[in-house]
mmCIF file of all heavy atoms in Angstrom:
data_model
loop_
_atom_site.group_PDB
_atom_site.id
_atom_site.type_symbol
_atom_site.label_atom_id
_atom_site.label_comp_id
_atom_site.label_asym_id
_atom_site.label_seq_id
_atom_site.Cartn_x
_atom_site.Cartn_y
_atom_site.Cartn_z
ATOM 1 N N ALA A 158 -57.317 -12.455 159.557
ATOM 2 C CA ALA A 158 -58.706 -12.927 159.270
ATOM 3 C C ALA A 158 -59.320 -13.062 160.663
ATOM 4 O O ALA A 158 -58.756 -13.754 161.517
ATOM 5 C CB ALA A 158 -58.708 -14.249 158.539
ATOM 6 N N THR A 165 -59.098 -14.512 166.102
ATOM 7 C CA THR A 165 -58.341 -15.086 164.949
ATOM 8 C C THR A 165 -58.134 -16.550 165.036
ATOM 9 O O THR A 165 -57.610 -17.099 164.020
ATOM 10 C CB THR A 165 -56.989 -14.372 164.854
ATOM 11 O OG1 THR A 165 -56.402 -14.529 166.173
ATOM 12 C CG2 THR A 165 -57.171 -12.895 164.520
ATOM 13 N N GLY A 170 -56.247 -22.996 169.136
ATOM 14 C CA GLY A 170 -55.310 -22.642 168.110
ATOM 15 C C GLY A 170 -55.853 -22.923 166.684
ATOM 16 O O GLY A 170 -55.245 -22.515 165.628
ATOM 17 N N SER A 172 -57.617 -22.331 163.346
ATOM 18 C CA SER A 172 -58.063 -21.150 162.624
ATOM 19 C C SER A 172 -58.445 -21.436 161.137
ATOM 20 O O SER A 172 -58.689 -20.546 160.383
ATOM 21 C CB SER A 172 -57.007 -20.090 162.698
ATOM 22 O OG SER A 172 -55.846 -20.434 161.926
ATOM 23 N N GLU A 199 -45.001 -19.796 165.983
ATOM 24 C CA GLU A 199 -46.140 -20.473 166.569
ATOM 25 C C GLU A 199 -47.127 -20.795 165.492
ATOM 26 O O GLU A 199 -47.814 -21.837 165.554
ATOM 27 C CB GLU A 199 -46.772 -19.592 167.677
ATOM 28 C CG GLU A 199 -45.867 -19.387 168.875
ATOM 29 C CD GLU A 199 -45.548 -20.677 169.703
ATOM 30 O OE1 GLU A 199 -46.224 -21.732 169.443
ATOM 31 O OE2 GLU A 199 -44.602 -20.660 170.478
ATOM 32 N N THR A 200 -47.273 -19.926 164.492
ATOM 33 C CA THR A 200 -48.255 -20.250 163.377
ATOM 34 C C THR A 200 -47.692 -21.440 162.687
ATOM 35 O O THR A 200 -48.490 -22.301 162.229
ATOM 36 C CB THR A 200 -48.343 -18.975 162.469
ATOM 37 O OG1 THR A 200 -49.082 -18.015 163.192
ATOM 38 C CG2 THR A 200 -49.121 -19.299 161.131
ATOM 39 N N ASP A 204 -50.227 -24.449 162.489
ATOM 40 C CA ASP A 204 -51.027 -24.636 161.232
ATOM 41 C C ASP A 204 -50.221 -25.371 160.193
ATOM 42 O O ASP A 204 -50.796 -25.872 159.203
ATOM 43 C CB ASP A 204 -51.311 -23.257 160.591
ATOM 44 C CG ASP A 204 -52.237 -22.445 161.514
ATOM 45 O OD1 ASP A 204 -52.698 -23.042 162.497
ATOM 46 O OD2 ASP A 204 -52.478 -21.282 161.220
ATOM 47 N N SER A 237 -36.895 -17.263 166.990
ATOM 48 C CA SER A 237 -35.768 -16.827 167.846
ATOM 49 C C SER A 237 -34.948 -17.974 168.372
ATOM 50 O O SER A 237 -33.700 -17.980 168.351
ATOM 51 C CB SER A 237 -36.239 -15.968 169.019
ATOM 52 O OG SER A 237 -37.187 -15.102 168.588
ATOM 53 N N ARG A 240 -36.411 -23.333 166.942
ATOM 54 C CA ARG A 240 -37.230 -24.548 167.327
ATOM 55 C C ARG A 240 -37.732 -25.324 166.090
ATOM 56 O O ARG A 240 -38.225 -26.413 166.228
ATOM 57 C CB ARG A 240 -38.461 -24.021 168.143
ATOM 58 C CG ARG A 240 -38.106 -23.664 169.544
ATOM 59 C CD ARG A 240 -39.354 -23.380 170.319
ATOM 60 N NE ARG A 240 -39.927 -22.095 170.037
ATOM 61 C CZ ARG A 240 -41.248 -21.784 170.233
ATOM 62 N NH1 ARG A 240 -42.058 -22.708 170.622
ATOM 63 N NH2 ARG A 240 -41.702 -20.502 169.910
ATOM 64 N N ARG A 285 -35.796 -11.906 171.525
ATOM 65 C CA ARG A 285 -36.451 -12.205 170.238
ATOM 66 C C ARG A 285 -35.840 -11.626 169.013
ATOM 67 O O ARG A 285 -34.925 -10.719 169.180
ATOM 68 C CB ARG A 285 -37.887 -11.816 170.311
ATOM 69 C CG ARG A 285 -38.730 -12.808 171.201
ATOM 70 C CD ARG A 285 -40.129 -12.505 171.248
ATOM 71 N NE ARG A 285 -40.908 -13.680 171.689
ATOM 72 C CZ ARG A 285 -42.140 -13.613 172.052
ATOM 73 N NH1 ARG A 285 -42.807 -12.512 172.125
ATOM 74 N NH2 ARG A 285 -42.748 -14.732 172.427
ATOM 75 N N VAL A 286 -36.252 -11.956 167.890
ATOM 76 C CA VAL A 286 -35.772 -11.393 166.644
ATOM 77 C C VAL A 286 -36.041 -9.932 166.609
ATOM 78 O O VAL A 286 -37.212 -9.428 166.820
ATOM 79 C CB VAL A 286 -36.414 -12.057 165.395
ATOM 80 C CG1 VAL A 286 -36.033 -11.349 164.125
ATOM 81 C CG2 VAL A 286 -36.058 -13.556 165.325
ATOM 82 N N GLY A 307 -49.811 -14.873 163.860
ATOM 83 C CA GLY A 307 -50.807 -14.778 164.823
ATOM 84 C C GLY A 307 -50.771 -13.446 165.568
ATOM 85 O O GLY A 307 -50.002 -12.478 165.201
ATOM 86 N N THR A 309 -49.485 -12.577 168.394
ATOM 87 C CA THR A 309 -48.257 -12.162 169.051
ATOM 88 C C THR A 309 -47.368 -11.365 168.082
ATOM 89 O O THR A 309 -47.001 -10.219 168.399
ATOM 90 C CB THR A 309 -47.486 -13.401 169.543
ATOM 91 O OG1 THR A 309 -48.397 -14.252 170.283
ATOM 92 C CG2 THR A 309 -46.289 -13.019 170.322
ATOM 93 N N LEU A 310 -47.035 -11.967 166.913
ATOM 94 C CA LEU A 310 -46.115 -11.276 165.975
ATOM 95 C C LEU A 310 -46.765 -10.075 165.332
ATOM 96 O O LEU A 310 -46.168 -8.998 165.182
ATOM 97 C CB LEU A 310 -45.558 -12.333 164.999
ATOM 98 C CG LEU A 310 -44.438 -11.734 164.097
ATOM 99 C CD1 LEU A 310 -43.294 -11.239 164.971
ATOM 100 C CD2 LEU A 310 -43.974 -12.782 163.098
HETATM 101 N N1 NAP B 401 -56.636 -15.530 161.681
HETATM 102 C C1 NAP B 401 -55.499 -15.203 161.124
HETATM 103 O O1 NAP B 401 -55.390 -14.342 160.289
HETATM 104 C C2 NAP B 401 -54.276 -16.003 161.552
HETATM 105 C C3 NAP B 401 -53.036 -15.870 160.809
HETATM 106 C C4 NAP B 401 -51.998 -16.561 161.232
HETATM 107 C C5 NAP B 401 -52.009 -17.379 162.306
HETATM 108 N N2 NAP B 401 -53.205 -17.524 162.970
HETATM 109 C C6 NAP B 401 -53.332 -18.374 164.263
HETATM 110 O O2 NAP B 401 -52.540 -17.722 165.239
HETATM 111 C C7 NAP B 401 -52.107 -18.727 166.117
HETATM 112 C C8 NAP B 401 -50.592 -18.487 166.443
HETATM 113 O O3 NAP B 401 -50.464 -17.182 166.907
HETATM 114 P P1 NAP B 401 -49.385 -16.832 167.944
HETATM 115 O O4 NAP B 401 -49.692 -15.407 168.396
HETATM 116 O O5 NAP B 401 -49.316 -17.818 169.050
HETATM 117 O O6 NAP B 401 -48.039 -16.825 167.202
HETATM 118 P P2 NAP B 401 -47.328 -16.066 166.004
HETATM 119 O O7 NAP B 401 -47.626 -14.611 166.200
HETATM 120 O O8 NAP B 401 -47.556 -16.681 164.700
HETATM 121 O O9 NAP B 401 -45.827 -16.313 166.369
HETATM 122 C C9 NAP B 401 -45.308 -15.810 167.596
HETATM 123 C C10 NAP B 401 -43.898 -16.231 167.770
HETATM 124 O O10 NAP B 401 -43.044 -15.585 166.883
HETATM 125 C C11 NAP B 401 -41.723 -15.519 167.484
HETATM 126 N N3 NAP B 401 -41.058 -14.255 167.374
HETATM 127 C C12 NAP B 401 -39.835 -14.057 166.929
HETATM 128 N N4 NAP B 401 -39.495 -12.722 167.003
HETATM 129 C C13 NAP B 401 -40.486 -12.138 167.537
HETATM 130 C C14 NAP B 401 -40.778 -10.723 167.929
HETATM 131 N N5 NAP B 401 -39.857 -9.797 167.696
HETATM 132 N N6 NAP B 401 -41.944 -10.409 168.463
HETATM 133 C C15 NAP B 401 -42.983 -11.383 168.643
HETATM 134 N N7 NAP B 401 -42.766 -12.697 168.315
HETATM 135 C C16 NAP B 401 -41.583 -13.044 167.809
HETATM 136 C C17 NAP B 401 -41.941 -15.837 168.942
HETATM 137 O O11 NAP B 401 -41.455 -17.131 169.267
HETATM 138 P P3 NAP B 401 -39.897 -17.283 169.616
HETATM 139 O O12 NAP B 401 -39.657 -16.263 170.783
HETATM 140 O O13 NAP B 401 -39.660 -18.657 169.966
HETATM 141 O O14 NAP B 401 -39.149 -16.812 168.431
HETATM 142 C C18 NAP B 401 -43.458 -15.853 169.124
HETATM 143 O O15 NAP B 401 -43.868 -16.763 170.150
HETATM 144 C C19 NAP B 401 -52.357 -20.062 165.480
HETATM 145 O O16 NAP B 401 -53.494 -20.669 166.138
HETATM 146 C C20 NAP B 401 -52.735 -19.703 164.047
HETATM 147 O O17 NAP B 401 -53.723 -20.617 163.605
HETATM 148 C C21 NAP B 401 -54.358 -16.824 162.640
#
Side-chain angles (χ1 to χ4, degrees):
T165 52
S172 66
E199 296 296 345
T200 290
D204 297 353
S237 316
R240 286 186 282 156
R285 285 182 159 165
V286 172
T309 310
L310 189 57

